Amino acid sequence: MTGPVSRASVRAFYTDAIQRGRNTAENLQAATSERFNTLLESIAEATPRVALDLGYGAGTYAIALARAGFRVVAVDQIPCDPLLRRLNGAGDWAHRIEPRQCLAEDFTIDQKFGVIVAKDVLHYLARPSVEALLTSAVAHAGGGNYHYLEVFTAITRRSADGQLLRIEGEAGYTPESFRRDIERIYKDWDLTLFWSKHAEQDSRTGLNCFEAIRATVIAANRTA
């Protein structure tokens, strides 16, 4: 195994990919998932119409929330310009999205969000940062609030020459450790977890460069 990949280089990679509109091996330009679409369609009118999208990437989930009538705080470590260009003249819903450039672990959750989305971002954080972030989100949640998380566990990364790679400071969850943390943090919520195998190919070699077990979490706070 080589030394850890720096978080700065990861940030530079995603900044370049989003600014150029490139669809990377992980499919950054993908549409929202069917599970998320089903959740969004099921949300009652009583749910506060303000949402948080942590790690918005290309902006697809933030846009879906805005189209559904939510005011969206969209947070990512990359510059906001690509999302602002995508929103320019997009429609009456575009003004509902407020992009903020900020590391996910540095964002302070100090209000009630009817919906929180964190897709493919939390596994990059250190475990204490994930716990602090989600614990704060739960502490500030009200009745009828929903959290939708997609988190990679059991990650194996390889370079083009087959060397094992890891990202500096990443959580390194196993499915079991992630489940334990989620069940503890969301102990009073209705909790649904889905598990699926995930793989990405290196376009240069055709070999898998990323393998993981993706955890999809749908947490609903039914309390009044």
Side-chain angles (χ1 to χ4, degrees), residues 46-63:
T47 296
R49 259 32 200 182
V50 58
L52 171 64
D53 185 0
L54 282 170
Y56 64 78
T60 305
Y61 283 72
I63 288 171

Side-chain angles (χ1 to χ4, degrees), residues 150-172:
E150 290 190 20
V151 181
F152 287 122
T153 70
I155 294 171
T156 299
R157 293 186 182 86
R158 293 187 184 275
S159 63
D161 61 0
Q163 291 289 316
L164 289 173
L165 301 173
R166 64 183 177 88
I167 305 298
E168 175 189 16
E170 67 181 338

Side-chain angles (χ1 to χ4, degrees), residues 134-147:
L134 295 181
T135 299
S136 179
V138 168
H140 287 89
N145 287 191
Y146 297 85
H147 294 178

Side-chain angles (χ1 to χ4, degrees), residues 10 14 16 18 26 34 39 59 70 73 89-90 114 118 136 141 161 169 184 198 200:
V10 172
Y14 283 110
D16 179 74
I18 294 298
E26 66 192 276
E34 287 301 317
L39 172 64
F70 287 84
V73 177
S136 179
D161 61 0
R184 176 173 48 81
H198 179 88
E200 299 169 10

Side-chain angles (χ1 to χ4, degrees), residues 169-182:
E170 67 181 338
Y173 283 115
T174 64
E176 294 77 15
S177 65
F178 182 71
R179 179 191 289 274
R180 285 196 302 270
D181 283 359
I182 289 296

Side-chain angles (χ1 to χ4, degrees), residues 78-222:
I78 64 174
C80 302
D81 293 355
L83 179 57
L84 290 171
R85 287 195 299 269
R86 186 174 181 183
L87 297 178
N88 186 31
D92 292 341
W93 51 267
H95 73 279
R96 301 190 189 113
I97 299 177
E98 177 190 346
R100 298 186 190 178
Q101 184 177 0
C102 179
L103 294 174
E105 61 267 43
D106 291 342
F107 181 77
T108 300
I109 297 177
D110 56 6
Q111 68 179 96
K112 292 180 180 179
F113 290 100
V115 176
I116 293 180
V117 173
K119 182 181 183 300
D120 298 350
V121 64
L122 295 180
H123 59 275
Y124 285 117
L125 279 56
R127 288 195 199 183
S129 295
V130 177
E131 180 174 351
L133 191 62
L134 295 181
T135 299
S136 179
V138 168
H140 287 89
N145 287 191
Y146 297 85
H147 294 178
Y148 179 89
L149 319 175
E150 290 190 20
V151 181
F152 287 122
T153 70
I155 294 171
T156 299
R157 293 186 182 86
R158 293 187 184 275
S159 63
D161 61 0
Q163 291 289 316
L164 289 173
L165 301 173
R166 64 183 177 88
I167 305 298
E168 175 189 16
E170 67 181 338
Y173 283 115
T174 64
E176 294 77 15
S177 65
F178 182 71
R179 179 191 289 274
R180 285 196 302 270
D181 283 359
I182 289 296
E183 289 179 344
R184 176 173 48 81
I185 293 169
Y186 288 97
K187 63 180 180 179
D188 296 322
W189 291 46
D190 290 346
L191 191 61
T192 305
L193 283 87
F194 302 94
W195 305 91
S196 59
K197 292 183 178 180
H198 179 88
E200 299 169 10
Q201 287 72 46
D202 188 320
S203 60
R204 297 164 294 182
T205 66
L207 301 175
N208 285 354
C209 57
F210 183 91
E211 296 175 339
I213 303 295
R214 186 200 294 272
T216 300
V217 178
I218 299 175
N221 185 12
R222 307 292 188 186

